[in-house]
Amino acid sequence: MLIIFIATTDGYTFENQPVALFPPNNETFVFSGSAVVDVNNTSGYFPGQDNGVVAIYTLNNSTSQNQNIAFSKDGGYSFEPFEGNPVIDIGSTQFRDPQVRNKSSKDLPRAAADCIIGLLACSD
């Protein structure tokens, strides 16, 4: 599985774009996730930009599911995986569907693990 990107200007018609994020190898799949536009560069990866995108997503293989981060400097058309991935690995094969929100939304990142929803918070 791959992360694909579709674009719309009117919320009604969509245009397919090239694959935005590839898995690291043929035995690993990119599963669900979410992304935010880092308008204020709180991640530190987008100096001088207001359209950087941070994505958190699940990588799945036959032995584990873990959470990874990728960055897009072109508004979400292509992503570069974070070198320190995985950022969260609890040793489970049922750990997916991460969601991330901007700090201002007052929501916490969360992920489902073995039928339990975990709320995660960090200062950076």
Side-chain angles (χ1 to χ4, degrees), residues 37-114:
V37 178
D38 190 1
V39 176
N40 297 315
N41 189 31
T42 55
S43 68
Y45 282 92
F46 312 108
Q49 281 189 251
D50 63 0
N51 69 336
V53 181
V54 179
I56 183 167
Y57 56 95
T58 301
L59 279 184
N60 175 75
N61 62 38
S62 62
T63 60
S64 73
Q65 290 182 347
N66 52 61
Q67 308 315 306
N68 295 258
I69 293 176
F71 305 96
S72 174
K73 295 182 178 181
D74 60 6
Y77 289 90
S78 63
F79 283 86
E80 176 184 335
F82 173 59
E83 289 183 17
N85 281 334
V87 293
I88 307 172
D89 187 351
I90 64 169
S92 175
T93 58
Q94 301 295 315
F95 182 46
R96 60 185 170 272
D97 307 325
Q99 298 177 21
V100 66
R101 300 282 187 264
N102 287 323
K103 186 176 180 180
S104 62
S105 73
K106 308 282 189 223
D107 286 339
L108 296 173
R110 65 196 117 219
D114 297 319

